[in-house]
Amino acid sequence: MNTCIIGPVVFDRGFYYEKNNDYGVMDGKEKFTIAGPIWKINQLRGLITRGGTEESGGITIRSTKQKDWGPVWINATASRPEEYDNVRLNHKGWYLIRNVDIDNINQFEAKATLTVELINNALDVFLEMDYTTSPYAGTPLKHGYDLTEELVLLEDDFPGTTLDTSKWSATMWNMTGGSHTVSGGKIGMSGIRTAIIPGMPCWGARSIQSKQTFDAPFFVEFDLEVPETSTTSNFDGHNYHFVLRPGQWLDQEGWPDTFLIVQDCGSSSRDIRFVKPFTDPLLKVMVDNSNKLHKWKILVGEDGLITAWLWNSTNSEWDFYWKGPCSLSTMKRLTIGFTHHSHEPTNHTVYTDKVKVYKTQAQILESVAKIPVTGRNASTGLGSRGSSYLHKNGESDNSFQNSASDPMAIFNGSPRLYSNNNPQNEWNEIHNIEESLKVDKCKFYNDLIQIIPTSTGIEIHRINGASFEKFFNVDIGPISFIKLLNKTPEELILAINRTKWILRRSEPFVYIKHEYDDLTYPKFSCCYHDGASLEITADDQSISMSDTHYALFWNKGSGTCANPNPAQNLRTMILQKYPTTIKSNKIPATSLTGIGFYDNTLPSSNQNHYSKLALEWLNPVNQRIRII
């Protein structure tokens, strides 16, 4: 039997010509009538695209509204001439449906008169995904997170047994014995002062200095570790310096244009000094003599100020320590280094482990368009997701050629809504916002996520291989209201009670607006949030989302959180619009929550890595297919 295709709605041969029907081509418009089941006829209303037609320079411009359906493939032709029932007008091509008038024939059948505008009558024309780009179009969600990332400029954890001479230069002055040694992920500097030279500083020195220079602002993280004891009672029997200054330096020369953090050690005292050489300390603090190790983070500011934080091992966080001027002559082309000074004839060793110099920069809210996978793609973009190719941040090569054998391929990855709330109890795709939807009789999905409202909650399923599996269950109380609010090839919006559920093409998460409703869910056993791992042991356990807008969840099974058994490669992600604290089994009512999944085995460079998915969630682009 021949079929008639109107975009995603397929009829048995139902086109027919009415004597009084105004059909034919008029100002680029065509009209025709189709008959069929009422529920299927009603779906045509959801395919309407509003807009006008203009002629400009010999070009016809057919405008569309962003939230409407867009181009629709219509094929009303029959395969054999003797079966034509509308030989005067065989509709076939890409159209915009401008209007649908519906009249009921009886309680089961209806007819619809469609007003359409032809765009192109070739099936395999080139199409393009037209979409907004970030940040210029203003599409990113307004949110409350400071989204910055580290740009590492220099990092060394001193592996192996030798100093990396591509990063550091090593020097010695007025010192004998000892060496620069690398072992166990640390660099150790040792030696004995050679002699006190009249008129010269009374120390010997070993130093390393970065070969790379840095322009403020930047951060430096490092530690200073000095020996347990000293034979000299002076506070500076031996000391270890962090050195910051413009350009290169020699151990005893050029010290006036230098800023130092100094950790001193004598036989009976220990102190920390922030100091300009040959001046009184900017800050001097006496510390417990047993406190030989300090881990520092400092911010070198463009304004000439130093901000210092000291690591609190008890609370596992950085504590503010000091802020003040470093008074360098310039904040450009600065080097960093470490110097061990010995003021006594006894050999000691001082240590530093991992050193990191980095800047912070705003993270890019990636603007990712999802282009349907077809049989004849012009480009593969940056990778595929389900049945879509991905194109990022306004890439120009986002056109593709539709499949010559399957015109419906342009809907690959599109969000779909199905209902079997009909006398035939058959699952039918829904486009009409007036359709009556019931619990346990509807479901909606794209190619990655499926949502099913049930009498006991809202199930969220993820694709795993060729089928969906449940990975999350949300409870918002008894469901009494379900309504379709909007449906296009790129976005579906559904109201369930007082919550709104938004599903977009080929995205592995769903957006949930729930200003008045908590989302209760079964707890997981493991979580990663705000940069730290957490084992979940109870309901209502607090999970902070103050620093990062996503938290990751998985179950350890019979293993551990680090090594689950069985392995948890597909894991759950909860996303938030504003900094908050959720619970291990509840997301308090808020403006917007995301629930999705990711593959834990993917590297950070992959577009489907959780960090990139999280940024993409904050920038849901508006997109639509157009013919070019």
Side-chain angles (χ1 to χ4, degrees), residues 266-285:
S267 61
S268 59
S269 65
R270 193 184 297 272
D271 71 11
I272 298 171
R273 289 180 287 159
F274 289 69
V275 65
K276 290 282 293 180
F278 313 121
T279 66
D280 291 333
L282 299 169
L283 176 72
K284 179 177 179 179
V285 178

Side-chain angles (χ1 to χ4, degrees), residues 150-441:
E150 293 181 2
L151 175 62
V152 177
L153 306 174
L154 170 66
E155 190 168 20
D156 198 348
D157 56 3
F158 303 106
T161 58
T162 57
L163 185 67
D164 188 342
T165 56
S166 68
K167 297 178 180 178
W168 309 98
S169 58
T171 59
M172 181 181 72
W173 174 80
N174 195 33
M175 184 176 278
T176 58
S179 61
H180 296 89
T181 58
V182 175
S183 178
K186 293 183 179 183
I187 180 170
M189 288 189 274
S190 60
I192 301 173
R193 180 198 67 198
T194 300
I196 297 178
I197 303 174
M200 297 295 291
C202 55
W203 64 73
R206 284 188 175 274
S207 306
I208 63 170
Q209 182 186 13
S210 66
K211 289 188 174 180
Q212 185 177 349
T213 62
F214 312 97
D215 295 339
F218 60 88
F219 289 87
V220 189
E221 293 183 20
F222 60 91
D223 64 77
L224 301 177
E225 181 179 350
V226 296
E228 296 283 1
T229 60
S230 170
T231 58
T232 302
S233 60
N234 297 331
F235 66 87
D236 59 353
H238 54 81
N239 47 42
Y240 200 12
H241 304 59
F242 165 78
V243 185
L244 179 70
R245 76 176 309 273
Q248 301 297 307
W249 48 275
L250 298 175
D251 299 293
Q252 81 285 10
E253 299 175 4
W255 285 102
D257 197 12
T258 305
F259 174 80
L260 305 173
I261 298 178
V262 185
Q263 185 164 337
D264 290 316
C265 183
S267 61
S268 59
S269 65
R270 193 184 297 272
D271 71 11
I272 298 171
R273 289 180 287 159
F274 289 69
V275 65
K276 290 282 293 180
F278 313 121
T279 66
D280 291 333
L282 299 169
L283 176 72
K284 179 177 179 179
V285 178
M286 300 301 295
V287 298
D288 186 278
N289 201 42
S290 63
N291 196 356
K292 66 175 184 174
L293 171 66
H294 289 95
K295 292 183 176 293
W296 295 99
K297 178 171 74 172
I298 69 168
L299 168 61
V300 181
E302 291 178 293
D303 54 5
L305 296 178
I306 293 286
T307 306
W309 295 265
L310 191 60
W311 182 250
N312 185 325
S313 58
T314 301
N315 298 330
S316 296
E317 61 185 12
W318 293 103
D319 289 340
F320 172 78
Y321 193 81
W322 179 78
K323 184 174 183 177
C326 60
S327 302
L328 298 180
S329 61
T330 177
M331 303 308 292
K332 302 288 187 181
R333 300 186 63 79
L334 303 177
T335 58
I336 69 163
F338 301 91
T339 293
H340 168 39
H341 282 177
S342 175
H343 295 253
E344 59 183 354
T346 301
N347 197 359
H348 295 288
T349 303
V350 296
Y351 296 97
T352 291
D353 60 13
K354 184 176 180 179
V355 178
K356 182 167 69 172
V357 183
Y358 59 94
K359 290 180 178 287
T360 58
Q361 60 185 10
Q363 289 182 277
I364 297 173
L365 291 177
E366 294 175 326
S367 173
V368 179
K370 294 86 178 176
I371 296 175
V373 173
T374 71
R376 302 168 62 185
N377 273 62
S379 169
T380 58
L382 56 87
S384 63
R385 177 181 300 164
S387 58
S388 291
Y389 286 127
L390 309 181
H391 288 257
K392 182 174 65 175
N393 296 339
E395 293 173 345
S396 59
D397 190 12
N398 62 353
S399 63
F400 62 101
Q401 193 171 22
N402 191 54
S403 169
S405 61
D406 182 12
M408 297 302 99
I410 68 166
F411 303 122
N412 286 346
S414 290
R416 311 233 179 160
L417 171 63
Y418 282 83
S419 170
N420 66 347
N421 185 32
N422 55 64
Q424 297 82 15
N425 195 32
E426 295 178 355
W427 287 103
N428 300 305
E429 186 172 358
I430 302 302
H431 307 284
N432 177 28
I433 63 173
E434 303 303 325
E435 193 78 21
S436 177
L437 301 174
K438 300 295 183 182
V439 170
D440 291 322
K441 287 185 172 291

Side-chain angles (χ1 to χ4, degrees), residues 412-478:
N412 286 346
S414 290
R416 311 233 179 160
L417 171 63
Y418 282 83
S419 170
N420 66 347
N421 185 32
N422 55 64
Q424 297 82 15
N425 195 32
E426 295 178 355
W427 287 103
N428 300 305
E429 186 172 358
I430 302 302
H431 307 284
N432 177 28
I433 63 173
E434 303 303 325
E435 193 78 21
S436 177
L437 301 174
K438 300 295 183 182
V439 170
D440 291 322
K441 287 185 172 291
C442 68
K443 57 186 177 182
F444 55 107
Y445 58 86
N446 55 26
D447 54 348
L448 299 175
I449 288 282
Q450 176 176 257
I451 293 95
I452 303 176
T454 73
S455 59
T456 58
I458 302 172
E459 297 179 356
I460 305 179
H461 299 238
R462 65 189 171 206
I463 197 69
N464 189 359
S467 60
F468 286 105
E469 64 180 12
K470 187 171 71 171
F471 74 100
F472 206 88
N473 195 81
V474 174
D475 183 9
I476 57 172

Side-chain angles (χ1 to χ4, degrees), residues 93-121:
W94 294 100
Y95 291 84
L96 294 177
I97 298 177
R98 293 304 199 186
N99 190 49
V100 178
D101 289 323
I102 296 177
D103 293 313
N104 289 342
I105 299 173
N106 53 46
Q107 59 179 331
F108 303 109
E109 300 290 317
K111 64 180 181 180
T113 300
L114 285 76
T115 302
V116 299
E117 294 183 2
L118 178 67
I119 303 174
N120 193 304
N121 58 13

Side-chain angles (χ1 to χ4, degrees), residues 472 521 545 549-551 553 572-576 582 587 593-594:
F472 206 88
Y521 62 95
M545 298 179 69
H549 65 288
Y550 60 87
F553 296 84
T572 300
M573 174 187 291
I574 294 178
L575 305 108
Q576 288 290 290
I582 66 174
I587 304 171
T593 289

